[in-house]
Amino acid sequence: MITMAPYTVTDKERWNHHVGRAKNRLFMFDRNFMDYHADRFCDCSQLFFDDDELLAVLPASLHGKEVRSHGGLTYGGFITNAKMKQSKMNACFAVLCEGLKKKGIHRFIYKTIPYIYHHLPSDEDLYALFLHGATLLRRDVSSTLDLTRQPKMTKGRKAQAVRARREGVVIEETVDVNTFIQLINHVLAHHQAKAVHTAAELELLRLRFPTNIKLFAAKKGDVWLAATLIFEYDHLVHTQYMAANDLGRELGALDFLLVTLIEQYGAQKKYFDFGTSSGAGGCCLNHGLCAQKEGFGGRSVMCDTYALDLA
């Protein structure tokens, strides 16, 4: 019998133990990551049990009459162990929907985890969403490079990387989060935007997850030209942020940085995920940004969000 219980702080150790062994585990679902911005979100996470055994956890946040999985995370959804099968996932959704309705929730927003992040096939939730009448709310395009069989890099990307090397640009791993955020916000200001994370938040997360969160910069002398923040998973790396200033773009610094990292991780990981290139609810493709990532060999992977009406 499947039952559901709300997460409390006393469940932290059990939650993290489950996440660390899940078939679709990501370190961002560890409570030490999730709770860094607990003051911004009303946590509504749930634990699901098969009799007395913990079968799945669901990161979630409450937004009025709406629950999201999770409002502060890139991805969400059920985090399950290897014992999760389709019939049990269907039951988990039934219990979840009934429980949310009883609490007066009108809508459930469900962020899926792209298949490239799965350690074992974990699409049971997609079928359960279909059975419960969920509709596709948004679809974002992420560009991912399969490091085991890379498409050829375009001549333009190669040429830029060669130019940066010739100009004396060097790539180094760094812990200078403050300079990194200044660079990111300087670039984003042209688009009337700023980084989701503050320097203090990134430093906190980097110290909590030093093997997962790494910062790389392309520099000429002491001058920063480009940089990227890497989220490193068991079989995948993801560029959480990447940017170059005007001089960096002129010298091809970001191209050189990415080529260097692709080579570095090529023998260690299966995928190199450049992140999304879509906005406006997924309806607007940034063609230039997408083409840049495709120039390194990236190809499209979908990041889908579903809506389930409960009222």
Side-chain angles (χ1 to χ4, degrees):
M1 179 180 177
I2 302 296
T3 57
M4 178 179 78
Y7 170 82
T8 67
V9 292
T10 60
D11 297 311
K12 180 177 179 178
E13 184 176 348
R14 177 165 56 173
W15 176 290
N16 286 346
H17 183 269
H18 172 84
V19 166
R21 290 157 179 76
K23 63 176 182 170
N24 53 352
R25 59 186 177 271
L26 299 177
F27 74 88
M28 70 172 65
F29 299 131
D30 186 294
R31 298 306 306 199
N32 291 312
F33 186 101
M34 285 182 61
D35 294 341
Y36 86 90
H37 53 17
D39 59 318
R40 287 190 240 158
F41 296 93
C42 180
D43 193 84
C44 188
S45 300
Q46 305 292 323
L47 295 86
F48 293 80
F49 298 89
D50 186 5
D51 293 328
D52 294 328
E53 182 180 2
L54 182 59
L55 179 65
V57 300
L58 178 68
S61 54
L62 180 64
H63 305 259
K65 296 291 185 180
E66 182 176 278
V67 167
R68 303 173 188 169
S69 70
H70 176 292
L73 298 175
T74 306
Y75 306 121
F78 280 91
I79 314 304
T80 69
N81 64 25
K83 293 184 178 180
M84 176 60 78
K85 298 179 181 178
Q86 192 61 59
S87 61
K88 291 184 178 181
M89 178 59 78
N90 296 347
C92 285
F93 261 88
V95 169
L96 172 66
C97 292
E98 185 62 27
L100 294 181
K101 286 179 183 179
K102 288 181 178 179
K103 293 178 181 179
I105 302 301
H106 294 171
R107 198 179 194 213
F108 178 45
I109 304 299
Y110 190 93
K111 298 178 182 178
T112 61
I113 303 173
Y115 77 91
I116 57 174
Y117 288 87
H118 297 173
H119 294 262
L120 292 172
S122 303
D123 281 347
E124 293 88 0
D125 55 345
L126 300 184
Y127 186 65
L129 283 164
F130 167 73
L131 290 181
H132 284 81
T135 57
L136 184 63
L137 180 65
R138 68 178 290 163
R139 166 166 282 171
D140 289 289
V141 177
S142 186
S143 299
T144 301
L145 173 62
D146 186 335
L147 294 169
T148 66
R149 44 184 178 180
Q150 302 178 29
K152 287 186 177 180
M153 200 174 297
T154 62
K155 292 181 179 178
R157 299 274 72 89
K158 288 181 180 178
Q160 285 290 83
V162 169
R163 179 181 182 184
R165 190 192 299 270
R166 187 174 61 244
E167 293 286 345
V169 177
V170 296
I171 308 301
E172 63 180 45
E173 186 172 356
T174 177
V175 296
D176 187 355
V177 174
N178 287 315
T179 301
F180 172 68
I181 286 294
Q182 290 173 18
L183 172 65
I184 292 295
N185 284 333
H186 172 74
V187 174
L188 289 177
H190 297 293
H191 306 282
Q192 293 77 52
K194 65 178 182 179
V196 174
H197 301 88
T198 65
E201 288 172 339
L202 277 186
E203 180 63 6
L204 173 66
L205 292 173
R206 189 189 66 79
L207 291 174
R208 288 182 178 180
F209 299 92
T211 62
N212 300 107
I213 300 177
K214 298 178 181 179
L215 177 58
F216 296 90
K219 301 166 65 176
K220 187 169 184 180
D222 293 329
V223 179
W224 283 51
L225 303 175
T228 184
L229 185 75
I230 291 288
F231 277 16
E232 184 174 331
Y233 300 96
D234 291 348
H235 66 287
L236 178 148
V237 290
H238 168 70
T239 54
Q240 184 68 18
Y241 292 103
M242 57 179 179
N245 58 25
D246 291 340
L247 181 57
R249 286 190 287 274
E250 179 184 338
L251 298 181
L254 184 59
D255 297 81
F256 183 34
L257 174 57
L258 291 174
V259 166
T260 300
L261 292 177
I262 289 169
E263 291 175 352
Q264 175 178 320
Y265 284 108
Q268 306 173 30
K269 308 293 181 181
K270 179 172 175 54
Y271 296 115
F272 193 105
D273 182 21
F274 295 97
T276 59
S277 302
S278 48
C283 296
C284 181
L285 179 66
N286 185 327
H287 291 275
L289 182 59
C290 187
Q292 178 192 34
K293 296 169 182 177
E294 290 172 339
F296 292 100
R299 296 296 182 266
S300 295
V301 171
M302 298 301 108
C303 305
D304 290 342
T305 301
Y306 289 86
L308 187 57
D309 290 324
L310 302 172

